[in-house]
Amino acid sequence: MTVRHTHVAGRCDRVAPVLARIGDKWAVLVVVLLADGPVRFNELKRRIGVISQRMLTFTLRALERDGLVVRTVHASVPPKVEYALTPLGQSLLEPISHLSQWAVDHADEIEASRAAFDGEDAREVAE
Amino acid sequence: MTVRHTHVAGRCDRVAPVLARIGDKWAVLVVVLLADGPVRFNELKRRIGVISQRMLTFTLRALERDGLVVRTVHASVPPKVEYALTPLGQSLLEPISHLSQWAVDHADEIEASRAAFDGEDAREVAE
DNA sequence: CAGTATCCGCAGAGATACTG
DNA sequence: CAGTATCTCTGCGGATACTG
């Protein structure tokens, strides 16, 4: 029984939580939007466009909890809260961009494959 | 209004579906398990350990549809179905391993941050 | 062995309304 | 402005049973 795992040494349960966060569509979006610098809550909401404030709050809390984002409250009226990437959060930008690059590079292949797959299905049914 | 996006040129809607697939915990696991070569259905199920056959089937169908995995039926009794990575699927291993590496490298930081975050919460409540 | 079909529970996410 | 609090509904995913 050969156990030659190609995957990175280190238990899967270390990796899983991170993957889950990446999979969270809002989380990644927020991280990318914060790449250029701090952004305020409602500004963030506006840029994302469709997100509910509930989900944005949850997403930011999760990112803050994981140490990827810092929340800074400026004591003023009206209140001003800015969110920014921590160094850890910034370091995540790199692997994310690798992945994004892959996605962009192969988007056409994937789409074609899907079309082919769905096409076969339709033909089977038709016969 | 400066629009200096750091993220990869190419619309987000191209990237989102891929991120969703990565976020699918089963999908990534399966891809990694297929890294060393073709594996049969039940063998895959056994290695994953906890997955329901329903989810495994769905996951494999999705991966097949996206062209990341090929399904090969060997006409025999009992039936034998093998799943293997396509070249496209193999190419995904690279960005995944980058991400995994990041996860492993920063797992401790993240965990510490979580503990600190949760600790503050508990203290606030206690006071 | 390798699935498909069906039922069901519960967490995730939206909509809405209210507050410091 | 930046949230919290509820209420609700959808759909992911597990358990189970059946089939080629």
Side-chain angles (χ1 to χ4, degrees):
Chain A
M1 166 184 169
T2 55
V3 189
R4 48 192 183 85
H5 289 297
T6 300
H7 68 252
V8 186
R11 268 104 58 248
C12 293
D13 39 320
R14 304 284 269 191
V15 184
V18 177
L19 255 38
R21 185 133 323 294
I22 302 299
D24 179 358
K25 67 189 231 197
W26 298 131
V28 182
L29 228 182
V30 167
V31 169
V32 170
L33 286 175
L34 293 181
D36 293 337
V39 184
R40 298 178 61 176
F41 185 87
N42 275 339
E43 175 62 16
L44 213 41
K45 188 167 183 302
R46 228 169 291 119
R47 289 204 201 167
I48 298 178
V50 294
I51 195 172
S52 63
Q53 73 273 44
R54 186 184 124 95
M55 275 305 102
L56 181 53
T57 303
F58 279 21
T59 302
L60 287 168
R61 283 287 174 285
L63 291 172
E64 192 192 355
R65 188 173 112 97
D66 286 1
L68 299 172
V69 158
V70 268
R71 177 172 176 271
T72 314
V73 182
H74 301 272
S76 64
V77 179
K80 179 179 177 182
V81 180
E82 281 191 329
Y83 292 89
L85 292 183
T86 61
L88 184 60
Q90 290 183 13
S91 74
L92 181 57
L93 285 172
E94 199 201 329
I96 282 184
S97 77
H98 274 132
L99 201 59
S100 304
Q101 190 59 57
W102 186 92
V104 173
D105 290 347
H106 300 88
D108 289 343
E109 284 179 73
I110 292 176
E111 196 141 358
S113 176
R114 286 186 181 173
F117 190 90
D118 296 346
E120 283 170 28
D121 259 23
R123 207 168 308 134
E124 277 176 30
V125 174
E127 281 165 12
Chain B
M1 167 184 167
T2 54
V3 189
R4 51 191 179 84
H5 287 299
T6 300
H7 68 251
V8 187
R11 267 105 58 249
C12 294
D13 38 322
R14 305 283 267 189
V15 184
V18 177
L19 256 37
R21 175 101 321 114
I22 301 300
D24 180 357
K25 66 189 229 194
W26 299 130
V28 181
L29 227 182
V30 167
V31 169
V32 170
L33 286 176
L34 293 181
D36 293 336
V39 183
R40 298 180 62 176
F41 185 87
N42 274 337
E43 175 63 18
L44 214 41
K45 187 167 183 301
R46 228 168 293 121
R47 290 205 200 165
I48 297 178
V50 294
I51 194 171
S52 62
Q53 72 273 47
R54 187 184 123 97
M55 275 305 103
L56 182 53
T57 303
F58 279 19
T59 302
L60 288 168
R61 283 287 175 282
L63 290 172
E64 192 191 355
R65 189 174 109 100
D66 286 0
L68 299 171
V69 159
V70 269
R71 176 172 176 272
T72 314
V73 182
H74 302 272
S76 62
V77 178
K80 178 179 176 181
V81 181
E82 281 191 329
Y83 293 89
L85 292 182
T86 61
L88 183 60
Q90 289 183 12
S91 74
L92 180 57
L93 285 172
E94 200 202 328
I96 281 184
S97 76
H98 275 132
L99 203 58
S100 303
Q101 190 59 57
W102 185 92
V104 173
D105 290 347
H106 299 89
D108 290 343
E109 283 180 73
I110 293 176
E111 195 142 358
S113 176
R114 285 185 182 175
F117 189 91
D118 296 347
E120 284 170 27
D121 259 24
R123 208 168 309 133
E124 276 176 30
V125 174
E127 281 163 11

